[in-house]
Amino acid sequence: MPRIPMGEWVNDAVDWLQTHFSPVFDAASTVISGMQDGIYTVLAAPEPLLLAGILAVIACWLRGLTAGALAFAGFALIDSIEMWDDAMSTLSLVLVATIITLVIAVPLGIWSARSKTVSAATRPVMDFMQTMPAMVYLIPGVLFFGVGAVPGIIATIIFALPPGVRMTELGIRQVDGDLVEAAQAFGTSPRNTLLRVQLPLALPTIMAGINQVIMLGLSMVVIAGMVGAGGLGGAVYRALGNIDVGLGFEAGLSIVILAMYLDRMTGALGHQVSPLGRRALAKAKAMSKSGGVQVWNYRPQPAVAIAGVVVLALVAGGLSMFGGTKAANADDPGNVGKGKKISVGYIPWDEGIASTFLWKELLERRGYEVDAKQYEAGSLYTGQSTGQIDIQTDAWLPVTHEKYWAKYQDKLEDMGSWYGPTSLELSVPSYMKGIDSLEDLKGKPDTFKGRVIGIEPSAGMMGLLKDKVLKDYGLEGEYKVVDGSTPGMLAELKRAYAKKEPIVTTLWSPHWAYSTYDLKKLKDPRGAWGKGDGVHTLTRKGFSDENPAVGKWLKDFRMTEAQLTGLEAKIQAGGKGKEQDAVRAWLGENPGLADQWAPVAKTSKVAPAAG
């Protein structure tokens, strides 16, 4: 059967949409990012514990004193593990996605409930949207909207829309038909029948749909973190990329607290706004009064709750308004950036982490405001090509990242190689006797379970290994390359090395693993890996013209192997999340390097002439 070129059709459709609807995508991105920034600003402005108090008062009003106390404790815990800013960023992302989803889902659900034709037409579309793997939505999202929160929000909207539509339709269809007929018999218009009969009675089901939309939105935050959405999803993605169990647990726990709070509040709000729910609450309240007052079930009146929220909000706003931060000295000759923002993206490779946080520290010392985020390689290059990311310092050229450079070179500037040459290789522990060359792997797949432990599938090294290296040595049918991540490969190497088990992994030089473990680089007599790469710094097109000082610093930047491996070792010793602290300590041990890599003109102060 001939192959249907469906993928090519989809690519052509995407290209056509990019060409003809780019202004529409830009406008939508501006609106969505503006909404997210606005909500985040409101959430991040107060002191964390004051906002926790406001959220606790809302919980107390909706569910009682116990819920309020638990809500405050949960949000205080998020603050204590230093996840507050990420949690508020995630909350703002979920709120924006939920608002836009409901604006689309509720009217569409109402229309589906009132028209069998619309219902039949939307059902397969909803099935497609809900069963398609959510990660797939990020691909066109990044192409249409770039990297950051917007493609994450768009993917969340698409993924969370079906339950909103279906629960709205279900709620309206479940309203007793006799009630609808009675309303119509008394001359009620279809519009008033919907607003005064069907929607009020369908509210419990609709609120359940809203709850599902919020929960699905939270489930998407980790996927959104892959394209630079930040927040708790970014923290989980960093933990996954670095195999950092502690960071993953902290971020995951924060997501759980947010999910539980939103789940309980939307459920309680459904009881508050629904006529049936209000009757049930009134009945429960009457029964509790007859059994005596229970302090932990106390729920303040709405006026009291609103007054409490207003008071706490005013206190929070006052502290935020008058707290302020000390501005940088504009007359300082070292303050070249004067607060200008620069974004840096990196792949979680050791030399990339080291060089990224090195330049983050150097640029911040020169007065720039630097935002460093981790990305998957494809998202990083796409973000740079669209101008959303200014700098990356870990482009392996001309081999490893060849396909990205071929695609995006017209939209990027190459600042040159700051380290090289590198080498790509397969490595085995030194206790694997008789395995010294790639040729020695032939006929021995059972020894290594037929596996080569790889890194990120998007890495050029992986494509070269699968398409050329294994083929040149006749290993294609014997070995399977296991896609994963760099930290995952290192974790597998550590586990096998501790047990003295056979293992063959992808590696490259320089890498700290060679000083930590006794490894052998398998020789490549046929030259399948090609010549070594240089590690290049790339910037978006036009960056060096806009920032000539930084452009010159990046072009002149060079590191020796001793400097690079020393910095990598310092970062490894410092632990995850302490990369910039490790950089500062390393620069302190190597005085003069900061001024050498990011020099500024020296000025001498001249005493004013006497009047």
Side-chain angles (χ1 to χ4, degrees):
M1 182 176 178
R3 181 183 183 276
I4 300 175
M6 187 170 294
E8 296 176 12
W9 296 344
V10 172
N11 287 333
D12 291 341
V14 169
D15 291 339
W16 185 85
L17 288 171
Q18 281 184 293
T19 302
H20 295 85
F21 288 88
S22 180
V24 176
F25 297 134
D26 292 341
S29 179
T30 301
V31 171
I32 293 172
S33 61
M35 289 178 62
Q36 202 256 348
D37 291 341
I39 293 176
Y40 174 74
T41 300
V42 171
L43 293 174
E47 290 294 323
L49 293 183
L50 282 170
L51 183 57
I54 293 172
L55 297 174
V57 170
I58 295 173
C60 184
W61 167 47
L62 291 173
R63 293 190 62 91
L65 191 58
T66 301
L70 291 175
F72 184 83
F75 286 111
L77 177 60
I78 292 176
D79 183 42
S80 69
I81 59 178
E82 299 181 350
M83 286 286 171
W84 184 264
D85 289 338
D86 287 338
M88 293 305 102
S89 178
T90 293
L91 183 56
S92 65
L93 186 150
V94 171
L95 289 177
V96 171
T98 301
I99 291 169
I100 297 175
T101 300
L102 294 180
V103 167
I104 301 171
V106 173
L108 186 56
I110 294 171
W111 193 14
S112 299
R114 296 168 71 90
S115 170
K116 291 183 179 180
T117 302
V118 174
S119 178
T122 57
R123 190 176 298 117
V125 177
M126 296 296 112
D127 291 339
F128 176 85
M129 291 168 64
Q130 199 163 13
T131 54
M132 176 68 72
M135 194 175 296
V136 174
Y137 296 131
L138 291 179
I139 302 172
V142 170
L143 291 175
F144 294 146
F145 301 100
V147 295
V150 175
I153 291 173
I154 295 296
T156 302
I157 292 169
I158 297 172
F159 189 64
L161 188 65
V165 174
R166 284 174 165 157
M167 295 299 278
T168 301
E169 179 183 357
L170 177 64
I172 293 175
R173 289 187 182 279
Q174 284 181 336
V175 175
D176 193 340
D178 292 338
L179 293 175
V180 177
E181 289 180 8
Q184 292 172 346
F186 280 101
T188 307
S189 66
R191 178 176 178 274
N192 285 334
T193 300
L194 173 66
L195 296 177
R196 297 184 179 184
V197 178
Q198 291 175 299
L199 281 179
L201 294 176
L203 269 176
T205 305
I206 294 174
M207 289 301 298
I210 293 173
N211 180 276
Q212 288 300 306
V213 168
I214 293 174
M215 294 301 104
L216 288 174
L218 277 168
S219 72
M220 284 289 293
V221 298
V222 176
I223 297 176
M226 297 178 62
V227 293
L232 295 172
V236 172
Y237 181 54
R238 289 196 305 273
L240 181 65
N242 297 320
I243 313 297
D244 189 340
V245 178
L247 176 61
F249 179 80
E250 290 175 346
L253 179 61
S254 300
I255 293 174
V256 168
I257 292 171
L258 273 182
M260 291 179 66
Y261 180 84
L262 294 173
D263 175 66
R264 302 301 189 270
M265 294 309 104
T266 52
L269 190 61
H271 289 297
Q272 291 284 347
V273 300
S274 166
L276 297 176
R278 286 198 297 270
R279 291 175 192 169
L281 286 174
K283 185 177 180 180
K285 188 175 181 180
M287 293 178 63
S288 66
K289 283 184 178 179
S290 64
V293 178
Q294 296 181 11
V295 175
W296 291 106
N297 290 330
Y298 168 74
R299 293 173 56 243
Q301 293 297 319
V304 176
I306 292 172
V309 169
V310 169
V311 169
L312 287 172
L314 289 173
V315 173
L319 288 179
S320 177
M321 183 183 299
F322 297 112
T325 56
K326 186 178 179 181
N329 181 7
D331 295 329
D332 182 359
N335 185 17
V336 179
K338 294 179 170 52
K340 188 173 184 179
K341 294 183 178 179
I342 291 179
S343 59
V344 184
Y346 66 95
I347 308 166
W349 294 354
D350 293 285
E351 73 287 340
I353 294 171
S355 55
T356 294
F357 283 94
L358 172 62
W359 274 106
K360 176 175 168 63
E361 176 64 19
L362 293 175
L363 291 173
E364 287 179 350
R365 289 187 182 190
R366 296 297 179 254
Y368 291 91
E369 184 180 333
V370 181
D371 180 27
K373 285 185 179 179
Q374 176 180 317
Y375 295 89
E376 185 272 335
S379 299
L380 175 56
Y381 276 89
T382 303
Q384 268 203 295
S385 70
T386 58
Q388 294 177 289
I389 301 170
D390 294 317
I391 302 171
Q392 68 154 310
T393 61
D394 197 22
W396 283 49
L397 297 172
V399 178
T400 306
H401 287 168
E402 177 185 8
K403 65 176 183 178
Y404 297 117
W405 181 248
K407 184 175 183 179
Y408 297 115
Q409 59 181 317
D410 293 338
K411 300 178 181 179
L412 302 174
E413 293 182 9
D414 185 1
M415 299 290 106
S417 170
W418 57 268
Y419 181 88
T422 63
S423 65
L424 306 176
E425 57 256 354
L426 295 184
S427 296
V428 299
S430 60
Y431 54 75
M432 296 300 301
K433 305 301 181 184
I435 307 294
D436 302 300
S437 165
L438 289 170
E439 294 175 333
D440 296 330
L441 295 175
K442 182 68 176 175
K444 300 176 182 176
D446 293 340
T447 303
F448 299 97
K449 301 179 183 179
R451 302 188 308 167
V452 176
I453 307 301
I455 55 173
E456 293 79 5
S458 59
M461 176 186 192
M462 294 289 281
L464 185 61
L465 174 62
K466 296 173 184 177
D467 298 337
K468 190 173 191 306
V469 176
L470 295 184
K471 183 183 296 184
D472 285 2
Y473 286 92
L475 305 176
E476 276 186 306
E478 297 184 354
Y479 291 86
K480 176 184 177 182
V481 180
V482 180
D483 295 335
S485 67
T486 302
M489 175 272 293
L490 292 170
E492 186 69 12
L493 173 61
K494 180 180 179 181
R495 185 197 64 78
Y497 193 88
K499 296 181 178 181
K500 301 297 182 189
E501 293 179 350
I503 186 172
V504 55
T505 69
T506 53
L507 259 178
W508 54 91
S509 300
H511 198 286
W512 57 265
Y514 286 113
S515 59
T516 303
Y517 309 107
D518 188 6
L519 304 174
K520 292 189 291 185
K521 302 177 185 179
L522 297 186
K523 297 175 182 177
D524 177 22
R526 301 180 188 180
W529 284 113
K531 296 181 179 180
D533 278 325
V535 184
H536 290 238
T537 299
L538 302 181
T539 65
R540 60 171 173 80
K541 200 74 172 178
F543 176 82
S544 58
D545 292 334
E546 299 169 17
N547 305 272
V550 180
K552 187 176 188 311
W553 295 339
L554 294 174
K555 288 178 180 178
D556 295 340
F557 175 58
R558 300 291 184 275
M559 285 190 86
T560 65
E561 183 171 356
Q563 289 170 338
L564 178 56
T565 55
L567 179 55
E568 288 178 349
K570 196 75 173 179
I571 291 174
Q572 286 290 321
K576 306 302 179 185
K578 304 293 184 183
E579 292 88 353
Q580 199 162 355
D581 292 336
V583 168
R584 293 187 187 112
W586 184 80
L587 287 173
E589 296 170 1
N590 295 269
L593 285 181
D595 290 332
Q596 175 185 330
W597 287 328
V600 292
K602 302 295 183 181
T603 59
S604 57
K605 293 184 178 180
V606 180

